[in-house]
């Protein structure tokens, strides 16, 4: 069995579907079900005997320890986090608690469990930490892409908390010998993403006839990675990654935000044309910039390609079309957007258009 923290969220849920589609090995999802955790994303596997779920907070070390003792997993993949940059600006406390304190509690629970394993199981055990390219900070248009040796320079409360968690994971390997692996990936997109992130938010607002709020001048660049490509990379690192190493995972898809929004509007114009014949582009509205907004992210993914043979399979064009189609086909899932207090803050920070 493998344990997956935070797998009722976007990437973790996609990972569950990927894993159970490929392997016989059971999974146990450990998730607190915050606003971002949604069991509906796991509904397609709910009756699969290989799927198990436990609602818990990763800060609750005794609860994690009890599950480790009962199920004796051979690996833990750590997806759980507070993950949205705007929320971290609004309220950084939850990010420090879950991403820093939570990772610490998890590492300590795992260290005690791992230390008590018989030698062969101890040697085979893996702790895989899922992290972000945001720990490397912001690139200028001419800077080379982030490599695994780019110095850390996090700029938001979110990325600072993820950087802290990366350092804890690294330290538990060097100090205690814990068998860890870390992945740092770029912006994911695809099915089951909570509609507060750029791509699902724009699809949701476009269909609702609402403004499409582009922060600042819309020229910030992100390197888009289709979530199933990311899941394949994680499975590959778990299988063959070198202990203590970090692997950058990126889609080789650097796109300016405004171009992303234009492409989404054009896809929706084709797939769900408006009754009045106008383009969704008319809904685009420039709003205030995000405080501390990183200008550009770009991943150099040559290490994972060279060492583990992983490359992304999806182009941005094919991945985005699949994503738009998924949101069009799953309006009920999208309806479960909540959190009024956060929406109010977004309205205040970015204006009525957001
Ligand atoms: P998400 O916000 O969609 O899901 C996070 C999940 O963690 C939710 O199911 C939530 O309920 C759970 N969770 C939060 N706090 C918890 C706690 N204290 N205890 C237990 N569970 C808790 O996040 P995501 O987009 O799926 O990201 C997954 C991981 O990948 C995160 O670590 C994130 O930092 C990292 N990451 C995400 C992206 C991206 O583009 N989404 C890119 C790079 C890295
Ligand atoms: O790079 C990896 C990171 O990507 C992950 O670690 C984070 O968990 C994930 O949330 C994502 O962070 P970003 O801040 O890049 O993603 P977001 O979707 O919030 O924003 C993408 C870009 O779009 C960013 O430049 C801000 C801009 N934006 C975002 C929203 C929500 C807008 O212009 N308008 C919006 O309404």
């Amino acid at each position: 069995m493998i344990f997956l923290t935070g797998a009722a969220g976007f990437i973790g849920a996609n990972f569950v579907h990927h894993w159970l589609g490929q392997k016989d090995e059971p999974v146990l999802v450990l998730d607190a079900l915050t606003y971002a955790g949604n069991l509906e994303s796991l509904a397609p596997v709910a009756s699969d005997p290989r799927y198990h779920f436990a609602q818990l907070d990763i800060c609750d070390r005794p609860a994690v320890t009890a599950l480790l003792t009962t199920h004796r997993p051979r690996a833990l993949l750590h997806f759980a986090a507070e993950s949205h940059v705007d929320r971290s600006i609004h309220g950084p406390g939850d990010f420090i608690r879950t991403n820093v304190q939570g990772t610490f509690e998890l590492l300590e629970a795992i260290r005690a469990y791992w230390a008590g394993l018989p030698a062969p199981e101890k040697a085979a055990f893996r702790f895989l930490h899922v992290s972000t390219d945001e720990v490397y900070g912001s690139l200028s248009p001419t800077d080379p892409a982030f490599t695994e040796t780019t110095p850390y320079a996090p700029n938001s409360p979110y990325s600072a908390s993820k950087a802290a968690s990366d350092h804890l994971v690294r330290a538990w390997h060097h100090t205690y010998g814990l068998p860890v692996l870390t992945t740092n990936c770029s912006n994911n997109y695809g099915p089951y993403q909570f509609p507060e992130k750029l791509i699902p938010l724009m699809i949701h607002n476009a269909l609702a006839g609402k403004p499409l709020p582009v922060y600042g001048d819309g020229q910030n660049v992100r390197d888009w990675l289709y979530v199933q490509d990311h899941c394949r990379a994680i499975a590959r690192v778990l299988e063959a990654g070198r202990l203590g190493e970090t692997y950058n995972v990126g889609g080789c898809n650097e796109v300016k935000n405004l171009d992303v929004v234009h492409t989404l509007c054009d896809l929706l114009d084709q797939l769900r044309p408006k009754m009045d014949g106008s383009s969704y582009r008319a809904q685009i509205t420039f709003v205030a910039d995000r405080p501390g907004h990183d200008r550009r992210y770009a991943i150099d993914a040559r290490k994972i390609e060279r060492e583990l043979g992983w490359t992304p399979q999806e182009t941005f064009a094919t991945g985005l079309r699949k994503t738009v189609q998924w949101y069009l086909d799953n309006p009920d899932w999208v309806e479960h957007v909540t959190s009024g207090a956060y929406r109010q803050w977004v309205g205040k920070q970015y204006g009525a258009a957001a």
Side-chain angles (χ1 to χ4, degrees), residues 82-86 131-134 158 162 185-188 193 196-199 201-202 212-216 218 220-222 224 257 261 287 290 293-295 297 342 354:
E82 287 293 338
S83 73
H84 188 39
V85 172
D86 287 323
S131 192
T132 172
D133 61 358
E134 296 201 14
Y158 163 70
K162 290 296 289 187
C185 71
S186 57
N187 288 60
N188 283 222
Q193 187 167 31
E196 65 186 355
K197 306 279 172 83
L198 179 71
I199 288 176
L201 179 87
M202 292 296 165
L212 307 179
V214 174
Y215 298 167
N220 301 65
V221 172
R222 297 293 182 264
W224 293 97
N257 291 341
V261 180
V287 300
R290 172 185 276 173
H293 198 174
D294 284 341
R295 195 63 172 165
Y297 303 142
Y342 169 71

Side-chain angles (χ1 to χ4, degrees), residues 12-344:
N14 275 282
F15 187 83
V16 171
H17 298 305
H18 172 79
W19 185 264
L20 295 180
Q22 306 274 319
K23 317 256 185 196
D24 288 331
E25 190 174 13
V27 301
L28 173 64
V29 173
L30 295 75
D31 199 297
L33 297 181
T34 67
Y35 79 95
N38 185 352
L39 285 180
E40 262 190 62
S41 307
L42 295 166
V45 296
S47 57
D48 189 315
R50 297 166 300 163
Y51 163 75
H52 305 274
F53 178 80
Q55 183 169 359
L56 64 70
D57 188 325
I58 55 166
C59 295
D60 185 349
R61 199 192 309 177
V64 174
T65 299
L67 288 172
L68 289 168
T69 310
T70 307
H71 296 283
R72 301 181 63 80
R74 66 146 179 120
L76 182 143
L77 281 61
H78 181 30
F79 295 94
E82 287 293 338
S83 73
H84 188 39
V85 172
D86 287 323
R87 282 182 188 261
S88 82
I89 298 166
H90 169 51
D94 287 347
F95 288 71
I96 304 306
R97 183 179 174 280
T98 287
N99 300 358
V100 185
Q101 183 75 21
T103 301
F104 161 72
E105 299 294 351
L106 206 55
L107 283 166
E108 281 295 81
I110 289 288
R111 182 164 75 91
Y113 164 71
W114 171 75
L117 289 174
E121 291 173 40
K122 194 173 176 189
F125 189 82
R126 297 288 181 270
F127 180 101
L128 192 155
H129 178 58
V130 179
S131 192
T132 172
D133 61 358
E134 296 201 14
V135 298
Y136 299 124
S138 186
L139 295 169
S140 78
T142 53
D143 282 334
F146 302 129
T147 70
E148 289 77 1
T149 56
T150 301
Y152 274 32
N155 291 318
S156 72
Y158 163 70
S159 54
S161 70
K162 290 296 289 187
S165 69
D166 291 8
H167 291 321
L168 291 175
V169 171
R170 176 190 161 87
W172 261 240
H173 174 68
H174 283 271
T175 304
Y176 304 113
L178 199 71
V180 308
L181 300 154
T182 296
T183 55
N184 295 85
C185 71
S186 57
N187 288 60
N188 283 222
Y189 68 104
Y192 301 115
Q193 187 167 31
F194 192 84
E196 65 186 355
K197 306 279 172 83
L198 179 71
I199 288 176
L201 179 87
M202 292 296 165
I203 299 170
H204 178 70
N205 280 16
L207 295 172
K210 290 183 180 169
L212 307 179
V214 174
Y215 298 167
D217 62 4
Q219 299 302 302
N220 301 65
V221 172
R222 297 293 182 264
D223 182 352
W224 293 97
L225 173 66
Y226 191 64
V227 66
Q228 282 297 330
D229 276 333
H230 184 202
C231 293
R232 283 193 305 105
I234 291 171
R236 187 71 191 119
V237 171
L238 177 66
E239 187 178 24
R242 285 189 291 133
L243 292 185
E245 291 291 315
T246 66
Y247 293 91
N248 281 358
V249 187
C252 299
N253 286 310
E254 280 190 61
V255 192
K256 290 176 180 152
N257 291 341
L258 189 57
D259 293 336
V260 172
V261 180
H262 281 156
T263 309
L264 281 170
C265 289
D266 297 348
L267 274 168
L268 285 168
D269 286 341
Q270 281 174 38
L271 298 170
R272 183 66 59 85
K274 289 213 265 188
M275 302 288 276
D276 65 3
S278 68
S279 168
Y280 289 97
R281 285 192 185 208
Q283 290 167 231
I284 293 173
T285 310
F286 289 92
V287 300
D289 209 354
R290 172 185 276 173
H293 198 174
D294 284 341
R295 195 63 172 165
R296 172 177 166 242
Y297 303 142
I299 282 271
D300 180 335
R302 281 178 294 180
K303 179 177 173 184
I304 188 170
E305 178 175 2
R306 194 176 55 246
E307 292 192 11
L308 304 178
W310 176 91
T311 50
Q313 288 178 353
E314 210 72 55
T315 67
F316 194 52
T318 58
L320 207 59
R321 182 173 283 271
K322 281 185 191 176
T323 303
V324 170
Q325 192 61 58
W326 187 87
Y327 280 92
L328 289 174
D329 292 343
N330 291 276
D332 292 347
W333 187 92
V334 178
E335 279 315 304
H336 293 196
V337 185
T338 53
S339 194
Y342 169 71
R343 294 296 337 156
Q344 275 170 20

